[in-house]
Amino acid sequence: MKVMNTGNDEVAEAQKALIIGDPGAGKTSIAKHYAARFGKGLILSMESGLSSVRSAGLDYVPITSWDGTHAPDDGVYSFKGVCRFVASPEFKAAGYRWVMVDSLTELSDLCWEPIEADAKAKAALKNKDPDGFKVWNDYAAAFVGGCKWLRDRGCHVIMTALAKSKDDDNGEPQVLPHVRGNAVAAQVCGLYDYVFGLVRVSVPASEGQEARVDRYLITGAYKGWACKARDEHGRLKLVEKTSDVAELITRVTMTPEEFAAQRWANPLAGDE
């Protein structure tokens, strides 16, 4: 038996994060921070909107199906087809350090569509209605399984998702990733080291101050946001005035010596 150790560099290296937020919050732009801090990465895009990172020159592939036609020479990619590339020696040889899925909201729909269509087709042959319970079970197994598989790659993984508000069993508001199925949304949150909420706040102009946009990352349970961070040393504030997820992750994973040196160089780092 080979016993592993939590202090191993590889364990600390590959961090997994899920970022949830409203449209326009700046989720896709987080890819620029990852590129600046970690190097080369690959975006699996389902949003048809990468204008916010156009100037960064990032690699991406447009995903159009869960497991449909995959013909890279024709510019057609499926999620499972790209996952096979991520698992290949070619991916590692290309020097990719991180993968972003933008977004889980769209990926959820891509996963649901063929499962629902297959169930309807099989039910029609028997002149019956589809078994809704089985459809949901098959979808949950496929979607969560796909998220787990990609999460477990040996590189940084970052997922984005639209935010969805719902009331919990006690009638309290809760903010979860917007994917099909409330139980699936809650399960997805449990897959990652970090679940951050990205909030965009427009500040109107005032005397002597121009209008501006501030962005905040929620790092823990706060006003219904189902957020968390595996922050062993308590280095993150509950709400951080930044959108740089890569910087927060780097801060959390620093050795005590590295963190002390950064705080000496930058007194604004960490919690003042």
Side-chain angles (χ1 to χ4, degrees):
M1 181 172 68
K2 182 180 178 181
V3 178
M4 303 181 74
N5 188 281
T6 58
N8 184 286
D9 289 340
E10 187 175 345
V11 173
E13 172 66 16
Q15 302 295 313
K16 322 297 180 173
L18 166 62
I19 312 302
I20 57 179
D22 292 329
K27 298 183 293 298
T28 305
S29 296
I30 291 170
K32 292 189 292 187
H33 299 305
Y34 267 64
R37 191 166 293 268
F38 300 132
K40 187 177 180 180
L42 179 66
I43 302 173
L44 280 57
S45 176
M46 285 142 266
E47 294 281 342
S48 299
L50 292 173
S51 58
S52 61
V53 295
R54 183 172 298 166
S55 62
L58 304 177
D59 288 357
Y60 79 98
V61 287
I63 306 297
T64 56
S65 70
W66 177 258
D67 192 21
T69 301
H70 184 74
D73 289 343
D74 298 325
V76 179
Y77 300 87
S78 71
F79 174 71
K80 283 194 173 182
V82 174
C83 283
R84 288 190 286 270
F85 168 68
V86 171
S88 72
E90 288 79 11
F91 177 84
K92 187 174 183 179
Y96 288 114
R97 300 289 309 284
W98 54 271
V99 174
M100 170 185 267
V101 172
D102 189 36
S103 69
L104 286 186
T105 303
E106 295 291 337
L107 185 62
S108 168
D109 289 336
L110 292 181
C111 181
W112 170 266
E113 289 166 3
I115 292 173
E116 182 187 40
D118 182 64
K120 286 182 176 180
K122 289 179 178 178
L125 293 175
K126 300 178 181 179
N127 199 27
K128 294 181 178 180
D129 292 329
D131 183 343
F133 185 76
K134 184 177 186 305
V135 172
W136 276 106
N137 276 351
D138 290 348
Y139 154 75
F143 182 67
V144 175
C147 291
K148 283 182 178 180
W149 184 92
L150 192 56
R151 176 203 64 183
D152 292 337
R153 299 309 93 200
C155 62
H156 296 291
V157 175
I158 183 161
M159 310 285 198
T160 71
L162 290 174
K164 175 178 66 174
S165 297
K166 64 175 286 291
D167 290 343
D168 63 16
D169 294 339
N170 297 318
E172 297 295 327
Q174 189 176 33
V175 184
L176 293 166
H178 194 330
V179 299
R180 288 180 180 265
N182 291 331
V184 171
Q187 190 173 358
V188 163
C189 287
L191 299 180
Y192 303 98
D193 301 311
Y194 308 91
V195 179
F196 291 157
L198 180 58
V199 178
R200 179 183 188 273
V201 178
S202 297
V203 181
S206 59
E207 185 175 349
Q209 297 287 334
E210 295 183 356
R212 69 178 191 275
V213 172
D214 290 337
R215 287 182 169 86
Y216 299 85
L217 284 167
I218 301 169
T219 69
Y222 177 74
K223 293 188 176 180
W225 287 80
C227 297
K228 66 175 185 177
R230 291 184 178 169
D231 183 11
E232 180 182 5
H233 301 289
R235 293 171 178 170
L236 301 182
K237 299 175 184 175
L238 183 58
V239 179
E240 293 273 357
K241 190 177 180 181
T242 182
S243 62
D244 191 344
V245 174
E247 190 277 324
L248 296 190
I249 289 175
T250 299
R251 190 194 308 170
V252 168
T253 55
M254 284 178 173
T255 65
E257 294 77 15
E258 290 171 336
F259 184 66
Q262 174 172 305
R263 286 176 60 82
W264 181 258
N266 177 12
L268 296 181
D271 51 343
E272 294 91 334

